[in-house]
Each structure stands twice: as C-alpha cells, then as structure tokens.
Amino acid sequence: GGLNYFNGTEMKIYKKNPFSDDELVHNLIQTMYYDEKNHELWIGTYQGVSRFQIEGNTFENYTVEKDNLSNPVAVAITKDVYGYIWIGTMEGLNRLNPETGDIKKYDVPGDVVRDLLVDSKGRLLIGSYEGLLYYEKENDKIEKIELDLASPYVMQVKEFTEGILTLGLWEGGVAEVSLDTFSIEDTRTYKDNRVYCILQTNDETLWVGTWGGGLFASTKEGKEYHFEAKDYENSLVHPVVYSLCQDNSGILWIGTNGGGISKINPRKSNYIKFVHSPEDPASLSQGKINKIFRDSCDNLWIAVYNEGLNKYDKENDTFIKYKKGLQEPYSLPDNQIMDIVE
C-alpha cells in the first residue's frame, strides 16, 4: 500500500512509480527509521531502502542491483553515533555511508536481522535468528553474545531503562538483560509468546504485540491487561500486532497486519465530560465551543458561540456565566467571544 502520511485530518499516500527511479522504491514497507537531526525518513521495503528527505519531498533509493545491498528485504534500520546508517536484511547486515552512498556488507549468524539498537554505551546491538549479537568495532565484525534465552529468535531489542535491555522473543516472551554483565535479570511469558513488537510508554507500561494473540500490557504496579481482536466495537482491530508507537500527546498507535490501525489513549479514564443540561442553569452553556483557555491560576474558561463566557467552578462542579445583560462583574459588552489571552 505504500507510505501513508497522516497530518491529523487527512492522508497523503506515496507509492512506487514503475517509470521513475526517484520515488518510493517499493510499496511493501517493512520498517522505518526517522533521523530527527536531518529530518529524513529511512524506509525499509521488500525491494531495498528509500531515503525520504521530508522537506524536499524527494526519495533516494538503495537496492541490491544498484548499490550492492545484501538482500532486497530490509527489516531493521538505525543510525549509529558515527553517522552511519545500518540496515538489517533477511540476509545479513549492511553499513551505509549516507554522504557517499557506499555500502559495506557483514555476514550475520543465522543470516536474518530482526532489530537494531544503538545502546546507551554507543554499541550497535543486533537481534537475529541466532540470538543477540553486537558489532565489534575494533575488528570490524559481528560477534555473538552468549545468553541462555528461552528462544534464539530475537525480534526486538530495546533499552527502555538505561543499563537494561528488553528483548522480545518469538515463542519466548520477553527477557530483561543487564547491559553490564549480559545476564538475564527477568523474564515474562504471555498467553501468546510469539512476540513481534514491544514498547514502553511514558507511564512505564510495557506493551507487547504478538503474532495472533493481540496486545498485552504490564503496568509498573504489576497489573496485566490483554487486548484481543473481538467482534465488538472498540476491540483491537486485528490479532496480529505489527508495530507500536506513542506520539507526543501520549496516544498509543497500534499497527496491525491486515486490519489497519488501532489507537489507545492511556489518559482516557481520567476524562470528565461537560455537557449542557436544560434543567441545570449551572451546566455548560449550549452551543459551539469557540475557545478553551486555562489561565495561570489554573482556572478553565470556555467561550461558547453567542453565549458569552463560562468559567468552571471546580469546587462546586458548576459553571459561572459571563454574558451581556447580567449584573456586574458578570456582564460582557458582547456574547460573541473569538479569543482569550492573558
């Protein structure tokens, strides 16, 4: 389906043009890495890698045929502390110099690279089908880290807490590993242990996406939740969870393998809904909301279309009204408020 760009209200779609070499290299996208410093997106597809320079709206492509990439299916991408782009494929690892375009290939035990991470010590760690590996810079080669994991298939390598690796394992659940000693500190198992993606959100909840068992969540207080794909409203849209991302507003976006996107708002349980009630003169005024403003004293002000101003009285859970024709100090010169500033 190509690359979908969502700006909050509408979707823009980028697709491969078979008659052009400077557009998206392939419509099947496996992974993406955002280089914040250069404001560009590295896109791993089933036919190579596209470098999307967002401001210029241009694509530069790297393929097996043109650039000697080790395999057309790019599964994982990251950038190291030296500025090199590392590309994990279904057949080995590649180091790309983004300034020259030169690619160097590395053999990997088990061939397949599933995930890449530059840890807090600056080392490149590699999740593979033969366990956890790392790039040994002095000898310029890939080495294996000896770990007694429940499964050799390391699908995800994350460092949510400095010094502790969290590994997502296919048919092995989740393992926590010390970065100092490379010893297993903790393990977690689930109803479905085919772990495909993991994420820790801002509230320190660990989210585990599986290949058919839906989504699992473990809070820092020790509570466990399971989100399944059921045939009812607001359930997970598909049981195969392919990717997880938390945005700056705290919403968790869940990409699935065939059902589209689901999202969870972790703060939704804390919401309070205010509505107009004809029987209650102290309720919110009826009409379109022109403006919501919170002042420096933590007062909440709501301007309602042609209804003046409402100030929320938190202590009494009511609204104080400011409107044309009321007695001072509640009188306004006009009921149509377009903006509020302090």
Side-chain angles (χ1 to χ4, degrees):
L3 178 67
N4 296 260
Y5 165 70
F6 183 57
N7 67 4
T9 57
E10 59 186 6
M11 199 79 70
K12 182 176 181 180
I13 301 172
Y14 298 88
K15 284 197 172 185
K16 176 180 172 59
N17 180 349
F19 305 104
S20 174
D21 292 330
D22 56 1
E23 296 187 37
L24 185 65
V25 70
H26 198 267
N27 288 333
L28 278 169
I29 294 173
Q30 173 74 22
T31 189
M32 290 190 283
Y33 170 77
Y34 175 56
D35 183 346
E36 187 172 0
K37 181 181 177 183
N38 296 315
H39 192 44
E40 57 188 18
L41 201 61
W42 293 84
I43 305 160
T45 78
Y46 275 55
Q47 201 58 49
V49 174
S50 285
R51 178 185 190 179
F52 181 42
Q53 294 173 323
I54 298 169
E55 291 207 348
N57 204 43
T58 58
F59 289 90
E60 184 178 354
N61 297 320
Y62 303 88
T63 64
V64 172
E65 298 80 11
K66 181 170 70 71
D67 305 284
N68 203 30
L69 199 65
S70 64
N71 185 275
V73 183
V75 182
I77 302 174
T78 196
K79 181 182 178 181
D80 70 13
V81 295
Y82 305 102
Y84 289 110
I85 300 294
W86 291 85
I87 302 163
T89 74
M90 297 297 285
E91 194 177 358
L93 184 64
N94 304 256
R95 186 184 69 188
L96 186 152
N97 185 330
E99 294 182 2
T100 65
D102 294 336
I103 290 178
K104 181 172 182 178
K105 295 189 287 190
Y106 295 84
D107 291 330
V108 170
D111 289 335
V112 178
V113 174
R114 291 302 323 191
D115 199 16
L116 296 168
L117 172 75
V118 177
D119 69 15
S120 56
K121 299 178 184 292
R123 298 175 296 194
L124 178 70
L125 301 179
I126 304 148
S128 79
Y129 279 0
E130 284 199 15
L132 183 64
L133 319 172
Y134 75 100
Y135 171 62
E136 212 282 293
K137 189 174 182 297
E138 286 188 10
N139 297 316
D140 193 29
K141 63 179 185 178
I142 308 301
E143 299 283 1
K144 186 174 180 180
I145 298 167
E146 294 302 328
L147 282 169
D148 187 19
L149 297 171
S151 165
Y153 302 106
V154 179
M155 306 294 287
Q156 293 273 275
V157 185
K158 306 295 179 188
E159 189 180 0
F160 301 128
T161 303
E162 187 171 335
I164 300 291
L165 287 180
T166 304
L167 306 181
L169 309 174
W170 183 268
E171 292 286 15
V174 170
E176 290 189 348
V177 176
S178 167
L179 261 181
D180 293 326
T181 61
F182 285 118
S183 58
I184 299 173
E185 303 290 311
D186 193 17
T187 58
R188 296 172 185 260
T189 58
Y190 303 90
K191 186 178 178 181
D192 190 322
N193 272 331
R194 296 171 296 174
V195 175
Y196 199 83
C197 56
I198 56 176
L199 179 73
Q200 183 172 288
T201 45
N202 296 338
D203 60 359
E204 297 182 40
T205 298
L206 178 67
W207 299 84
V208 178
T210 68
W211 195 266
L215 182 65
F216 297 85
S218 306
T219 70
K220 65 177 179 179
E221 294 82 17
K223 293 183 178 179
E224 302 285 339
Y225 298 91
H226 183 197
F227 300 87
E228 295 183 89
K230 298 291 187 180
D231 189 21
Y232 59 82
E233 190 179 2
N234 296 332
S235 74
L236 190 65
V237 72
H238 195 275
V240 175
V241 179
Y242 207 78
S243 59
L244 298 166
C245 177
Q246 185 178 36
D247 68 21
N248 292 334
S249 70
I251 291 174
L252 177 66
W253 297 83
I254 305 153
T256 71
N257 190 33
I261 296 173
S262 294
K263 67 176 183 176
I264 293 175
N265 191 336
R267 300 176 298 174
K268 197 168 185 180
S269 60
N270 299 326
Y271 280 13
I272 300 171
K273 184 183 289 186
F274 298 114
V275 295
H276 172 71
S277 172
E279 294 80 26
D280 184 5
S283 68
L284 183 67
S285 296
Q286 185 175 15
K288 186 184 77 171
I289 306 298
N290 280 352
K291 180 77 176 183
I292 302 172
F293 178 76
R294 190 179 292 280
D295 66 23
S296 58
C297 297
D298 206 33
N299 295 308
L300 190 66
W301 302 82
I302 300 105
V304 182
Y305 180 81
N306 211 32
E307 288 292 330
L309 188 63
N310 289 231
K311 178 186 177 185
Y312 178 54
D313 181 354
K314 191 173 183 180
E315 187 175 335
N316 298 306
D317 196 26
T318 59
F319 286 91
I320 301 167
K321 310 292 177 65
Y322 296 79
K323 199 172 180 181
K324 185 178 180 180
L326 296 179
Q327 290 186 345
E328 295 290 345
Y330 304 106
S331 180
L332 291 175
D334 191 86
N335 287 330
Q336 193 62 284
I337 295 172
M338 303 308 297
D339 202 4
I340 305 170
V341 295
E342 182 178 14

